[in-house]
Amino acid sequence: MEADYWKRGAERWKALLESDVPVIYVGAASCGRAAGAAKVEEAVRAKLGDLSPTARVVEVGCIGPCCLEPLVYVQRPGKAPIVYGDQSPETVAVVLESVLSKGDLLMDKALGVLSEGAQDGIPSFYEHPMLKPQTRLVLRNCGIIDPVEIDHYFAREGYLGLKRALSMSPEEVVEEVRASGLRGRGGAGFPTSQKWTFCRKAQGDPKYLICNADEGDPGAFMNRSLLEGDPHAVLEGMLVAAYAIGASHGYIYIRDEYPLAIERLSHALQRMREHGLLGQKVMGTGFDFDITIKRGAGAFVCGEETALMASIEGRRGMPRPRPPFPAQKGLWGKPTVINNVETLGTLPNIMRMGGAAYAGRGSEKAKGTKTFSLVGKVKRTGLIEVPFGTPLRKIIFDIGGGILNDRGFKAIQSGGPSGGCIPASMVDLEVDYERLTQAGSIMGSGGLVVMDEDTCMVDVAHYFLTFTQNESCGKCSPCRIGTRRMLEILERIKKGVGEEQDMQRLTEIAQTVKDGSLCGLGQTAPNPVLTTLRYFHDEYEEHIRDGRCRAKVCKDLFHYEIDPEKCIGCQICFKKCPVSAISGKPKGAHTIDQARCVKCGLCYQSCPPKAKAVKRADNGPDEVKG
Amino acid sequence: MITIDGKVVPFRPGQTVLEAATEAGIYIPTLCSHPHLPPFGACRLCLVQIENVRGLPPACTTPAADDMVVRTDTEDIQRLRRSILRLILSEHPNSCIVCGERELCEKYNVCPTKAGRVTGCNLCPAKERCELRRVADYLKVDDVGYLLDYHNYPLERDDPFFERDYNVCILCGRCVRVCEEIRGVGAIAFTKRGHGTKVGTSFGISHLDGGCQFCGACVDVCPTGALSARATKWHGKPEKKARTACTLCGVGCAIELQGRWDRVMDAIPHMDGPTNQGQGCVLGRFCIPPLFNSKDRLKYPLVRKEGSLVPVDWDEAIAEAAKGLKRYEPGDVDILVSPNVTNETARMLHRLSKDILGGARIELDSQFDSLALAASRSLTGCAGSTGELSAIDRADAVLVVGADICLTHPVLRVRLNRARARGAKIIWLGPTRDPNDRLVDILVPEANYLEVLAGTLKRLASSAKEGFDALSGSLDGFTGFKGAADISEALRGKRAVALVGRGIMPHRPKATLTALWDILVSTENTSGLLLLIEGNSQGICDAGIVGENDVRRDAKALYVTSSRAEMPEGAEFVVLQAPFSSKLVERADVVFPSLGLPEESGTTTSMDGHVQEVRPVSKGPGMALADAEIVSRLVAGLGGKKLDMTTAQLGPRPVRQPLSRLYPLGVLGPEPSASPAPASPNFYRGTDIAEKVADLTVYYRYRGVIP
Amino acid sequence: MRQVIGSGTPQDKAPWREAVARILSRHGNERGELIPILQNVQAELDYLHREALEEVARALRLSMHDVYGVATFYAQFRFSPPGRHKVRACLGTACHVRGGDDVMAALERRLGIRHGETTKDGEFSLERVACMGCCALAPVMVVGDEVSGRCTPSKVDEILARYGGGD
């Protein structure tokens, strides 16, 4: 009966791809929805009502290029789907009308076809500059399959990895993972097989497996995308891991900010139960395993293993010192393994293709691929997957298409609040755990935020410290107080009232917090400060000595003014200004009353491009300290 | 063996590096760890270097291991510690720690200066015990380098007994942990997080509202001046300390009395008391100084002359008392013994009644305690509990019958909490005023408890038992045994402890005790503990005083060392010996001022049989003398040979006999008419403690204990 | 849950009490259920009030202060009623570098409240969130369940206007 799963899956998948009615796929992950996918889908259904009432609409996850959302793929009978980006309810109606009834494929708007080669003169979407440099293993199903259809997952060789694992002994599974060189994708990159072995050997029953989906780094959404687009991949990974360590129960600890991912997971768990993939005797073997979803309640520190367990136990998410390690005494004092979503999502690939084959990709010390969320001041933002060892340049300029508005590239931030800023000069750095750590940053879970010359590095340090200071659990003194003291100094500097010794002070406190803190949050919290001090010392000095913020971000250090020569007196800024700080007659030059101005920037943004009369200007030396 | 700073020292399995170092006399600075509490690892001052271990692990959470090589004081470690301490001090008023004038200043300003807010310098009540200062001295931190970040939290002074100033709190969490983990109360918790973390209550409600039991454990573990006892916070350093046994209830907690200016200044639970293990309660922790320093202490011997009491010297008072007592036949004299006097005094009073007064009646002045002791003696041949309090630590089930422990024996909660944490079932029959009774697994309210108890015992009794018949026979409208099945299941064949308290008094107490002892306590592995209300009832009973005969209503002369029982109306001549003035003084013909707990020497016996020494820390007021000395002088005045303490030494306690049902039930005699227990739960020498201690009045009023 | 034998306490039939009782009976009384219980109580009552927390504490045999301590640790829990429309501005990294602060400032200005507050008419409450995971569309704001990407201060006005606010 089991064998039927894959057969049935393949049939249903084929029926979809070779459907004799049109199929419209809508990228409806959270990112797509934020871009308006729900309204687009509504418009699609409405339009299909007129055009082709039998046509099907399928919601898929995120295929990666979020900058092009909402994405709609139109599949005509017998043809591969054509991808159209940046859709709105209005444009999608036009696309459907043209493609389905007029036979006009709107070549200029088509981004590509979802097939290996070109079709009707439209190149493969996989040849798109954002996708071409990628190696999609973990993300191989995202945006392709319908995440609520377990059959689609079966059709794409889903649960074959588990099947193979269950045919082996747990030790052999651990060995296979060891051969793959898999390291934790959640931050520090600890070898997964080693973690498992500790837990396997630990005394205590039952043992627990926790999937850490508390993706808290601001600027990172790899886990969300994977869970929304291909939940079964992660769940299959959990089964493999649980089998290997001998766990009988699993938890998924997931941020409550990810309602769609939670919905997809709950749905997937239900399907798994129906298919005998969860509960007693998984796949008819002697392996019993069940999974519970635990929603986080809004605490970044709960990404830390011991805090996460405290949270599942119904306590304040305060980390505790190790030893004992979770693998020895974890959840409710029992041996526990906590693996990141992506680590688990990688396991089906490893089990399917074999550890050695998997290890064929990546760099010397880090095998396989890594997903990143590429965001910030880059042209093409979204979710990407590349082999370890890929140079930053390739990520930013090939995949990301370079800096937004062709401004100058200043830095790239990795690892979220625990990471650091890597300067443009290190753009050829090949990304893996060790190289990022050497550069003062960390791999983290995979957030990459690109910064251009309009980004102030003091402000970036201040931003991250505000974040960690807010998210510190408050238990240990170096983190609770040290981050606060550092933040105060950064505030001073941003206001232009910093002192010469402040950089020295910052370094000292940062070192104390790094060496003295109880958990990973505190130990890495100073990284954004330390790396910006290391690579952007001159910007700090400018703030302190000259009262100048070259990026014009620190509001106390610049002001807006209107160039009377350029002002055309259109009155747009006059009308927009929320505090009536702008005066001037129609067609005459306008001026800004500096005493009233709150520097919201509305005038600057709204000044017509042909005039460009509103400027940001450095404060004079007198204005600085005032 | 573990090597610490080059010294090879032994350790026991399970010990941490910090514990091993401390036992070896190696100091590692720490602020959050405490010997009574599980490790926490928050202050980060005990970081050490361990060979082959990455980073600097905290000594307080790292288990000691063989062949471990630890360095506690390298320059790197000290630098890091100094930097961490400076951060801590950046949020703690610190001029008292880092001021350049500190040494000179302290030479001349010995006592801290009273101030509402602690802002440093000489304004902190914790000056003498501040652990931050100790750590700062060790690390030689004499500058902070930050402007003080003062939280400006409001002072919390609305609750009785202790005050809270969280502006000096360093969030070590000791108070939160002791309250939750040791006391099982959880009256405070960490609230919010990060830099906004503050120890507090749910929605900031008062401690009175929040269910605090004012045991003071939080005050005693606080390393700073954030928590301080209101009455004693400004008293400075004690001149004298003495370990003694508290007699404000029957538990007999070991406490350390602190004295200054010949008065008791403070009382703190002793770390290794056999019955209390470092914990205390509202009575022993906060009530001793206000009680014994009260203005109502009797200071001079008084003799009634022409209708009014006038101060006289001791000789005259003794002569007057002897003269008066000699006028009566032995059978007309009754001696009423306070349950708070020492074993030695009790022995001497016993001798006085038998040998000197030729057989005067003598009785312990405590209704429940005398009844329970007498009944247990008739059941087992030995008066008192059949086990020690430590039996609770081994029990699978604890049955509490008629004991409002939160009021009468608050410190027992600590053991109950530990038992529950171990998984023991706590079954509570009868009253509870514990506002936060999380401990209890099965609760039977007072209205239902008798029938449920009877039902339970019937189920447990394998055959008809006399005790059960006696109990159930008293149940009017006895309808059924709802819930009894669950309780008997929890008790059957288990290691169990029955705690029996004063609340049985209105409900056929002798029958209840008999049935419980006969059916439950007689089984293997079960102990019956009598929760004696008064400080030394057990010791006085052991001196031979309990259960001999009842005080006659028609005694003509009375010698009273307590003043709680109703005095026989017909008494013509009354000698009162007490530390406190009371209404009874008006009926007395002779008044002897006696010493109180912080002034006494001798021994007392806890309700589970521990004989402990009582030691003085202060002098009594005026001409007050020790009870034993007064009795001794009275004996001499009556023409006997002067008794001294050595002749008053106790004989051995009788050995408990195994329970048997050889006794005839008739021994129990008729039931006393139902007499409700007095409203106020705690007395000392017949004086209502709540009457003398204003904060206790506030607390009890709030809980509805007293009107 | 503690078993009480005999004299029952009078039942207060306030609707919130029934809701809490329903949630408690669904979740059982293990400590591990505390946070899910609080999440569901908040979903039903919109915020956590003292009586509800006391009820939860009693059922789980925890100290109410402990429960409050847990609830205040997590950013998700509210202790006063929120506005009818919950407005959240994302201040994640991507949103920050793309002007999330300006969006937040515009919201505060338009609604006349600071983040963490509710407008006097009870229509809007404003909160900040660390990251919505929609970084590629930064800056992001959310009203109720509706997520809007690529926000600017001018777009804030349009969005609020749809909910009848902003002036």
Side-chain angles (χ1 to χ4, degrees):
Chain A
M1 152 191 173
E2 266 170 50
D4 295 348
Y5 293 158
W6 288 278
K7 200 174 143 209
R8 191 179 122 90
E11 281 166 6
R12 292 199 58 206
W13 182 239
K14 193 166 169 232
L16 181 73
L17 294 186
E18 296 171 8
S19 162
D20 48 13
V21 294
V23 184
I24 316 300
Y25 302 84
V26 181
S30 292
C31 41
R33 291 180 184 198
K39 292 217 171 77
V40 168
E41 190 182 327
E42 236 171 73
V44 167
R45 289 185 194 278
K47 190 70 192 171
L48 287 178
D50 303 336
L51 285 175
S52 175
T54 54
R56 293 179 60 188
V57 179
V58 175
E59 283 188 4
V60 293
C62 175
I63 197 164
C66 304
C67 52
L68 303 171
E69 309 242 41
L71 285 165
V72 173
Y73 334 147
V74 183
Q75 176 187 310
R76 295 163 295 156
K79 297 280 190 177
I82 309 169
V83 182
Y84 297 92
D86 215 355
Q87 291 300 302
S88 67
E90 297 75 36
T91 57
V92 81
V94 175
V95 167
L96 291 180
E97 175 97 44
S98 309
V99 178
L100 295 182
S101 65
K102 294 185 188 154
D104 174 1
L105 302 184
L106 299 172
M107 303 291 281
D108 54 329
K109 298 217 170 70
L111 295 169
V113 286
L114 284 180
S115 67
E116 289 305 318
Q119 170 188 286
D120 301 331
I122 303 172
S124 165
F125 190 50
Y126 303 113
E127 295 294 316
H128 187 277
M130 185 163 185
L131 286 156
K132 190 161 190 249
Q134 299 190 37
T135 306
R136 293 171 80 87
L137 280 180
V138 178
L139 302 177
R140 65 194 186 94
N141 290 330
C142 283
I144 308 290
I145 64 168
D146 183 347
V148 300
E149 287 283 358
I150 194 171
D151 282 337
H152 290 187
Y153 186 66
F154 279 126
R156 310 255 308 169
E157 302 185 312
Y159 291 109
L160 281 180
L162 173 66
K163 194 174 180 197
R164 175 156 174 262
L166 293 180
S167 72
M168 299 156 70
S169 73
E171 288 81 6
E172 285 166 345
V173 176
V174 176
E175 199 39 55
E176 192 79 277
V177 172
R178 190 192 318 278
S180 77
L182 180 65
R183 295 171 64 177
R185 300 290 194 249
F190 193 78
T192 304
S193 58
Q194 219 169 316
K195 205 178 202 179
W196 288 4
T197 308
F198 286 144
C199 182
R200 255 200 86 67
K201 287 187 181 154
Q203 296 289 317
D205 192 60
K207 289 175 179 162
Y208 294 105
L209 172 75
I210 299 174
C211 166
N212 184 351
D214 191 47
E215 188 175 46
D217 287 2
F221 53 87
M222 301 75 53
N223 297 346
R224 175 187 62 68
S225 273
L226 180 57
L227 291 169
E228 287 176 356
D230 194 14
H232 286 287
V234 179
L235 296 169
E236 183 183 351
M238 283 185 78
L239 285 161
V240 171
Y243 177 72
I245 61 172
S248 57
H249 201 95
Y251 290 92
I252 303 172
Y253 187 84
I254 182 166
R255 300 181 75 201
D256 209 30
E257 286 88 342
Y258 287 175
L260 184 62
I262 296 171
E263 191 188 313
R264 292 275 152 84
L265 279 171
S266 319
H267 185 271
L269 290 177
Q270 195 55 41
R271 293 288 90 76
M272 286 170 76
R273 282 201 185 90
E274 291 162 10
H275 286 75
L277 292 164
L278 210 55
Q280 306 269 305
K281 298 197 187 342
V282 171
M283 280 191 169
T285 66
F287 171 52
D288 302 340
F289 187 66
D290 214 331
I291 295 175
T292 309
I293 297 175
K294 287 273 180 180
R295 290 184 289 147
F300 173 71
V301 68
C302 289
E304 199 276 347
E305 295 190 343
T306 58
L308 187 155
M309 294 188 299
S311 183
I312 293 183
E313 290 172 0
R315 300 171 197 281
R316 291 165 62 84
M318 299 198 297
R320 59 156 178 79
R322 327 159 195 225
F325 291 93
Q328 305 159 319
K329 277 190 176 170
L331 194 60
W332 290 302
K334 304 293 181 192
T336 303
V337 160
I338 300 162
N339 280 147
N340 166 270
V341 167
E342 189 180 338
T343 313
L344 294 166
T346 303
L347 290 169
N349 293 316
I350 293 172
M351 292 317 295
R352 213 179 48 246
M353 64 174 71
Y358 181 83
R361 293 170 185 77
S363 70
E364 189 195 334
K365 285 188 172 167
K367 304 297 179 194
T369 58
K370 175 80 192 80
T371 61
F372 293 97
S373 54
L374 180 63
V375 296
K377 304 284 188 70
V378 67
K379 280 182 183 152
R380 288 192 288 262
T381 56
L383 179 68
I384 63 166
E385 180 174 359
V386 291
F388 281 103
T390 304
L392 282 173
R393 181 186 296 282
K394 191 167 174 186
I395 293 174
I396 300 165
F397 291 95
D398 295 352
I399 299 175
I403 305 302
L404 202 62
N405 303 325
D406 293 318
R407 308 279 297 173
F409 169 49
K410 187 188 264 185
I412 184 160
Q413 207 278 346
S414 78
S418 310
C421 295
I422 298 156
S425 59
M426 295 174 77
V427 73
D428 290 314
L429 187 93
E430 292 171 357
V431 176
D432 70 11
Y433 298 100
E434 279 72 21
R435 290 193 180 102
L436 282 174
T437 307
Q438 272 162 26
S441 183
I442 62 162
M443 172 71 76
S445 55
L448 290 177
V449 185
V450 177
M451 293 160 180
D452 67 1
E453 57 195 7
D454 285 342
T455 312
C456 167
M457 299 317 282
V458 178
D459 177 68
V460 167
H462 177 268
Y463 166 79
F464 280 115
L465 218 51
T466 308
F467 180 85
T468 37
Q469 199 266 138
N470 255 319
E471 296 292 339
S472 161
C473 81
K475 178 175 173 177
C476 79
S477 29
C479 174
R480 180 185 71 242
I481 310 173
T483 54
R484 180 74 169 195
R485 294 291 89 85
M486 284 196 279
L487 185 63
E488 285 165 357
I489 296 175
L490 287 169
E491 267 163 15
R492 273 207 305 261
I493 298 176
K494 262 174 73 72
K495 285 206 169 101
V497 292
E499 296 165 11
E500 291 283 328
Q501 311 93 302
D502 276 348
M503 281 187 281
Q504 179 58 29
R505 287 189 189 124
L506 271 180
T507 315
E508 274 172 27
I509 307 174
Q511 206 55 48
T512 303
V513 176
K514 204 176 166 91
D515 296 341
S517 292
L518 195 164
C519 81
L521 185 148
Q523 287 158 11
T524 57
N527 283 349
V529 177
L530 288 171
T531 48
T532 49
L533 275 170
R534 179 163 148 195
Y535 299 121
F536 302 95
H537 208 258
D538 51 339
E539 282 197 41
Y540 279 88
E541 282 184 346
E542 259 174 32
H543 279 73
I544 294 171
R545 284 192 199 142
D546 312 332
R548 172 165 180 261
C549 173
R550 63 168 88 160
K552 307 284 180 294
V553 171
C554 300
K555 290 201 165 142
D556 291 302
L557 302 187
F558 74 93
H559 60 271
Y560 289 99
E561 57 188 31
I562 300 173
D563 187 340
E565 303 286 303
K566 290 186 177 169
C567 182
I568 54 173
C570 66
Q571 291 231 301
I572 292 176
C573 62
F574 172 82
K575 284 175 197 146
K576 285 264 178 188
C577 181
V579 291
S580 308
I582 298 178
S583 54
K585 298 247 165 357
K587 305 233 155 70
H590 286 51
T591 52
I592 300 176
D593 178 355
Q594 296 300 334
R596 278 194 181 176
C597 177
V598 294
K599 294 177 188 164
C600 67
L602 273 174
C603 52
Y604 180 72
Q605 286 168 14
S606 59
C607 187
K610 57 181 177 186
K612 275 200 167 179
V614 182
K615 295 185 306 190
R616 298 175 305 184
D618 288 333
N619 283 348
D622 303 341
E623 290 157 299
V624 171
K625 307 282 170 183
Chain B
M1 300 297 263
I2 175 172
T3 309
I4 306 177
D5 292 342
K7 204 165 147 189
V8 180
V9 302
F11 66 93
R12 291 187 302 280
Q15 272 191 317
T16 62
V17 171
L18 178 65
E19 283 163 342
T22 306
E23 277 185 22
I26 298 166
Y27 176 70
I28 299 177
T30 168
L31 289 170
C32 68
S33 83
H34 188 277
H36 284 171
L37 296 169
F40 194 49
C43 75
R44 316 302 291 171
L45 285 169
C46 69
L47 299 178
V48 293
Q49 192 184 309
I50 301 177
E51 264 179 31
N52 302 322
V53 173
R54 204 164 47 99
L56 300 173
C60 69
T61 61
T62 307
D66 270 322
D67 304 325
M68 204 179 234
V69 180
V70 182
R71 297 285 313 171
T72 74
D73 58 355
T74 65
E75 194 33 54
D76 281 353
I77 295 174
Q78 302 294 53
R79 196 183 313 118
L80 179 59
R81 283 178 184 158
R82 273 194 283 274
S83 183
I84 294 171
L85 184 66
R86 284 195 186 99
L87 287 172
I88 294 173
L89 290 176
S90 75
E91 307 208 332
H92 179 98
N94 54 43
S95 53
C96 61
I97 297 169
V98 296
C99 176
E101 304 290 321
R102 177 177 160 185
E103 224 170 288
L104 270 179
C105 170
E106 282 184 7
K107 207 161 148 191
Y108 298 109
N109 285 325
V110 188
C111 281
T113 309
K114 279 197 186 189
R117 259 175 205 278
V118 176
T119 50
C121 207
N122 221 22
L123 306 176
C124 177
K127 196 181 152 206
E128 305 299 344
R129 58 179 175 89
C130 176
E131 295 180 36
L132 266 179
R133 282 162 60 110
R134 182 175 179 202
V135 173
D137 287 348
Y138 168 78
L139 292 174
K140 303 191 178 61
V141 167
D142 47 17
D143 72 302
V144 172
Y146 304 100
L147 288 176
L148 177 64
D149 181 7
Y150 189 76
H151 283 271
N152 219 352
Y153 293 127
L155 299 180
E156 299 182 13
R157 304 172 69 176
D158 294 342
D159 287 303
F161 301 113
F162 60 89
E163 298 177 353
R164 307 179 295 276
D165 179 357
Y166 289 114
N167 296 299
V168 278
C169 172
I170 56 165
L171 293 169
C172 68
R174 287 186 192 172
C175 54
V176 172
R177 289 179 285 146
V178 80
C179 191
E180 174 67 27
E181 290 169 36
I182 305 293
R183 308 292 307 203
V185 174
I188 40 174
F190 284 119
T191 65
K192 308 209 174 139
R193 74 167 180 224
H195 194 251
T197 309
K198 178 182 168 291
V199 173
T201 57
S202 173
F203 292 90
I205 60 178
S206 71
H207 277 33
L208 280 169
D209 274 325
C212 174
Q213 309 199 340
F214 300 98
C215 68
C218 54
V219 178
D220 292 334
V221 294
C222 180
T224 70
L227 303 177
S228 50
R230 172 173 298 137
T232 52
K233 66 192 281 192
W234 302 114
H235 288 186
K237 217 174 187 164
E239 286 162 356
K240 215 172 156 189
K241 290 177 179 176
R243 177 188 168 143
T244 194
C246 178
T247 50
L248 299 191
C249 84
V251 175
C253 294
I255 53 173
E256 180 187 278
L257 292 176
Q258 303 184 342
R260 188 164 183 172
W261 311 297
D262 272 333
R263 303 216 297 183
V264 61
M265 190 184 107
D266 215 344
I268 289 163
H270 203 277
M271 285 287 232
D272 55 1
T275 61
N276 60 314
Q277 297 153 320
Q279 293 298 309
C281 77
V282 63
L283 300 171
R285 177 65 183 84
F286 292 118
C287 294
I288 290 175
L291 179 64
F292 292 100
N293 296 330
S294 109
K295 61 180 172 31
D296 298 331
R297 288 293 297 269
L298 291 167
K299 296 187 186 68
Y300 307 104
L302 305 170
V303 167
R304 192 167 296 279
K305 288 181 176 170
E306 295 166 7
S308 54
L309 288 168
V310 292
V312 294
D313 64 20
W314 272 106
D315 288 346
E316 188 180 344
I318 296 282
E320 200 61 33
K323 197 172 82 190
L325 291 173
K326 271 192 218 160
R327 286 206 304 268
Y328 299 92
E329 292 296 311
D332 288 333
V333 179
D334 277 3
I335 300 177
L336 213 47
V337 182
S338 158
N340 297 102
V341 298
T342 60
N343 294 340
E344 292 70 21
T345 305
R347 270 314 252 217
M348 290 165 72
L349 285 167
H350 191 246
R351 290 274 295 279
L352 173 74
S353 77
K354 295 288 171 285
D355 302 345
I356 310 297
L357 292 174
R361 289 162 191 269
I362 184 164
E363 184 59 36
L364 170 66
D365 176 25
S366 174
Q367 221 185 7
F368 169 72
D369 292 359
S370 11
L371 177 136
L373 288 163
S376 63
R377 176 157 53 205
S378 65
L379 291 165
T380 67
C382 171
S385 301
T386 74
E388 293 189 359
L389 284 171
S390 56
I392 300 172
D393 298 339
R394 296 182 297 271
D396 302 318
V398 181
L399 179 70
V400 181
V401 183
D404 199 350
I405 283 172
C406 165
L407 297 178
T408 55
H409 303 78
V411 79
L412 291 189
R413 240 195 103 94
V414 175
R415 282 188 202 268
L416 291 184
N417 180 49
R418 208 157 49 209
R420 195 209 147 189
R422 264 194 305 109
K425 264 221 182 310
I426 313 283
I427 304 154
W428 201 285
L429 277 66
T432 170
R433 274 193 216 261
D434 195 333
N436 200 356
D437 51 355
R438 300 154 49 200
L439 292 180
V440 183
D441 292 293
I442 303 178
L443 176 70
V444 182
E446 188 162 14
N448 305 67
Y449 100 83
L450 205 54
E451 63 181 87
V452 175
L453 178 64
T456 303
L457 292 174
K458 177 162 193 202
R459 279 165 187 274
L460 287 172
S462 47
S463 58
K465 298 271 180 157
E466 298 90 322
F468 166 72
D469 295 337
L471 177 62
S472 64
S474 71
L475 292 171
D476 297 327
F478 177 72
T479 48
F481 305 129
K482 190 171 162 247
D486 291 336
I487 300 176
S488 50
E489 233 12 79
L491 293 169
R492 196 189 306 279
K494 303 279 168 53
R495 274 177 304 192
V497 173
L499 304 177
V500 185
R502 180 183 69 153
I504 65 168
M505 285 304 274
H507 312 290
R508 292 181 67 86
K510 284 188 189 171
T512 302
L513 259 179
T514 306
L516 262 170
W517 254 235
D518 186 23
I519 294 166
L520 184 64
V521 177
S522 63
T523 58
E524 217 183 334
N525 289 331
T526 301
S527 304
L529 299 179
L530 298 176
L531 299 186
L532 302 178
I533 291 294
E534 312 273 4
N536 194 28
S537 292
Q538 183 70 50
I540 286 156
C541 174
D542 292 346
I545 289 174
V546 169
E548 299 213 321
N549 42 27
D550 286 334
V551 168
R552 264 185 348 191
R553 299 282 127 189
D554 59 350
K556 290 188 178 137
L558 281 173
Y559 177 28
V560 185
T561 56
S562 174
S563 51
R564 182 160 158 192
E566 282 172 36
M567 288 268 221
E569 279 303 316
E572 294 163 5
F573 183 72
V574 176
V575 177
L576 175 69
Q577 177 173 325
F580 297 104
S581 176
S582 68
K583 269 190 290 185
L584 280 192
V585 169
E586 281 155 35
R587 286 199 54 204
D589 296 284
V590 180
V591 176
F592 297 151
S594 71
L595 299 181
L597 170 64
E599 301 126 22
E600 274 279 13
S601 312
T603 61
T604 54
T605 308
S606 74
M607 66 188 196
D608 64 344
H610 290 279
V611 179
Q612 300 181 85
E613 249 189 277
V614 174
R615 299 185 186 88
V617 79
S618 57
K619 289 202 310 199
M623 292 165 68
L625 289 178
D627 286 301
E629 173 63 22
I630 300 172
V631 179
S632 168
R633 288 190 189 192
L634 181 62
V635 166
L638 286 164
K641 197 172 147 232
K642 193 175 174 193
L643 297 173
D644 62 32
M645 298 291 256
T646 49
T647 61
Q649 286 293 315
L650 289 176
R653 284 191 85 200
V655 179
R656 286 190 184 93
Q657 301 301 315
L659 266 177
S660 64
R661 264 169 289 110
L662 296 173
Y663 55 88
L665 259 177
V667 165
L668 290 173
E671 289 293 329
S673 56
S675 53
S680 193
N682 323 103
F683 285 81
Y684 180 84
R685 292 294 285 261
T687 296
D688 182 350
I689 299 174
E691 255 177 38
K692 303 282 182 221
V693 182
D695 276 358
L696 192 62
T697 315
V698 172
Y699 173 40
Y700 279 174
R701 282 229 175 96
Y702 210 87
R703 291 274 184 278
V705 179
I706 53 173
Chain C
M1 197 172 299
R2 192 182 63 222
Q3 184 182 353
V4 177
I5 296 167
S7 53
T9 42
Q11 289 298 306
D12 174 355
K13 282 291 175 203
W16 72 262
R17 230 176 254 281
E18 283 176 22
V20 171
R22 208 166 45 241
I23 292 163
L24 286 170
S25 66
R26 205 163 60 227
H27 281 275
N29 47 37
E30 293 297 324
R31 175 154 198 154
E33 292 300 308
L34 175 58
I35 292 171
I37 288 172
L38 294 177
Q39 285 170 328
N40 286 315
V41 169
Q42 176 157 300
E44 292 253 357
L45 310 184
D46 262 356
Y47 71 107
L48 302 175
H49 53 68
R50 184 177 153 189
E51 289 91 340
L53 279 192
E54 283 179 23
E55 199 70 34
V56 171
R58 201 170 300 130
L60 269 60
R61 289 174 69 183
L62 299 172
S63 136
M64 61 172 162
H65 312 291
D66 191 357
V67 170
Y68 179 78
V70 171
T72 52
F73 184 88
Y74 296 98
Q76 186 180 47
F77 298 114
R78 284 185 299 268
F79 304 92
S80 56
R84 206 158 69 82
H85 304 294
K86 291 184 252 306
V87 182
R88 291 179 289 167
C90 181
L91 295 177
T93 321
C95 293
H96 178 77
V97 299
R98 284 196 171 188
D101 285 349
D102 291 334
V103 172
M104 181 52 117
L107 281 167
E108 290 186 335
R109 211 163 42 233
R110 283 297 169 207
L111 294 172
I113 50 173
R114 305 263 304 143
H115 64 84
E117 296 176 349
T118 303
T119 53
K120 278 208 188 93
D121 59 5
E123 283 294 299
F124 292 92
S125 52
L126 183 58
E127 287 165 32
R128 44 196 295 173
V129 288
C131 184
M132 302 291 298
C134 300
C135 316
L137 300 159
V140 173
M141 67 173 272
V142 190
V143 183
D145 294 327
E146 192 200 356
V147 184
S148 311
R150 296 168 190 141
C151 289
T152 58
S154 338
K155 207 170 156 191
V156 163
D157 294 354
E158 288 167 35
I159 296 167
L160 286 181
R162 271 189 265 145
Y163 293 89
D167 272 313

